[in-house]
Coordinates of all heavy atoms in Angstrom, one line a residue:
N427 N 94.8 117.7 117.4 CA 95.2 117.0 116.1 C 96.3 117.8 115.4 O 96.1 118.9 115.1 CB 93.9 116.8 115.3 CG 94.2 116.0 114.1 OD1 94.8 116.4 113.1 ND2 93.7 114.7 114.1
L428 N 97.3 117.0 115.1 CA 98.5 117.7 114.4 C 98.1 118.2 113.1 O 98.5 119.3 112.7 CB 99.6 116.6 114.3 CG 100.4 116.3 115.5 CD1 101.1 114.9 115.4 CD2 101.4 117.4 115.9
L429 N 97.4 117.5 112.3 CA 97.1 117.9 110.9 C 96.1 119.1 111.0 O 96.3 120.1 110.2 CB 96.4 116.8 110.2 CG 96.5 116.8 108.7 CD1 97.9 117.0 108.1 CD2 95.9 115.6 108.0
L430 N 95.2 119.2 111.9 CA 94.3 120.3 112.0 C 95.0 121.5 112.6 O 94.7 122.6 112.1 CB 93.1 119.9 112.9 CG 92.1 118.9 112.4 CD1 91.0 118.7 113.4 CD2 91.5 119.4 111.1
R431 N 95.9 121.3 113.5 CA 96.7 122.4 114.1 C 97.4 123.2 113.0 O 97.5 124.4 113.0 CB 97.6 122.0 115.2 CG 96.9 121.7 116.5 CD 96.5 123.0 117.1 NE 95.9 122.7 118.5 CZ 96.6 122.8 119.6 NH1 97.8 123.1 119.6 NH2 96.0 122.6 120.7
H432 N 98.1 122.5 112.1 CA 98.9 123.1 111.1 C 98.1 123.4 109.8 O 98.5 124.4 109.1 CB 100.1 122.2 110.7 CG 101.1 122.0 111.8 ND1 101.9 123.0 112.2 CD2 101.4 120.9 112.5 CE1 102.7 122.6 113.2 NE2 102.4 121.3 113.4
G433 N 97.0 122.7 109.6 CA 96.2 122.9 108.4 C 96.8 122.1 107.2 O 98.0 122.0 107.0
H434 N 95.8 121.3 106.6 CA 96.3 120.4 105.6 C 97.0 121.0 104.4 O 97.8 120.4 103.8 CB 95.1 119.5 105.2 CG 94.0 120.2 104.4 ND1 92.9 120.8 105.1 CD2 93.8 120.5 103.1 CE1 92.2 121.4 104.2 NE2 92.6 121.2 103.0
R435 N 96.6 122.3 104.1 CA 97.3 123.0 103.0 C 98.7 123.4 103.4 O 99.5 123.6 102.5 CB 96.5 124.2 102.6 CG 95.1 123.8 102.0 CD 94.4 124.9 101.3 NE 93.1 124.4 100.8 CZ 92.9 123.7 99.7 NH1 94.0 123.4 99.0 NH2 91.7 123.3 99.4
T436 N 99.0 123.5 104.6 CA 100.4 123.8 105.1 C 101.2 122.5 105.0 O 102.4 122.6 104.7 CB 100.4 124.4 106.5 OG1 99.7 125.6 106.5 CG2 101.8 124.6 107.0
V437 N 100.6 121.4 105.3 CA 101.4 120.1 105.4 C 101.5 119.4 104.1 O 102.5 118.9 103.8 CB 100.7 119.2 106.5 CG1 101.4 117.9 106.5 CG2 100.6 119.9 107.9
L438 N 100.4 119.4 103.3 CA 100.3 118.5 102.1 C 100.5 119.2 100.8 O 100.2 120.4 100.6 CB 99.0 117.8 102.2 CG 98.7 117.0 103.4 CD1 97.2 116.5 103.4 CD2 99.7 115.9 103.6
E439 N 101.0 118.5 99.8 CA 101.2 119.0 98.5 C 99.8 119.2 97.8 O 98.8 118.5 98.1 CB 102.0 118.0 97.6 CG 103.4 117.8 98.0 CD 104.3 118.9 97.4 OE1 103.8 120.0 97.1 OE2 105.5 118.5 97.1
A440 N 99.7 120.3 97.0 CA 98.5 120.6 96.4 C 97.9 119.5 95.5 O 96.7 119.2 95.5 CB 98.6 121.9 95.5

Side-chain angles (χ1 to χ4, degrees):
N427 187 284
L428 284 160
L429 202 54
L430 290 181
R431 282 290 183 94
H432 291 292
H434 65 271
R435 296 196 181 278
T436 299
V437 177
L438 303 173
E439 291 275 29

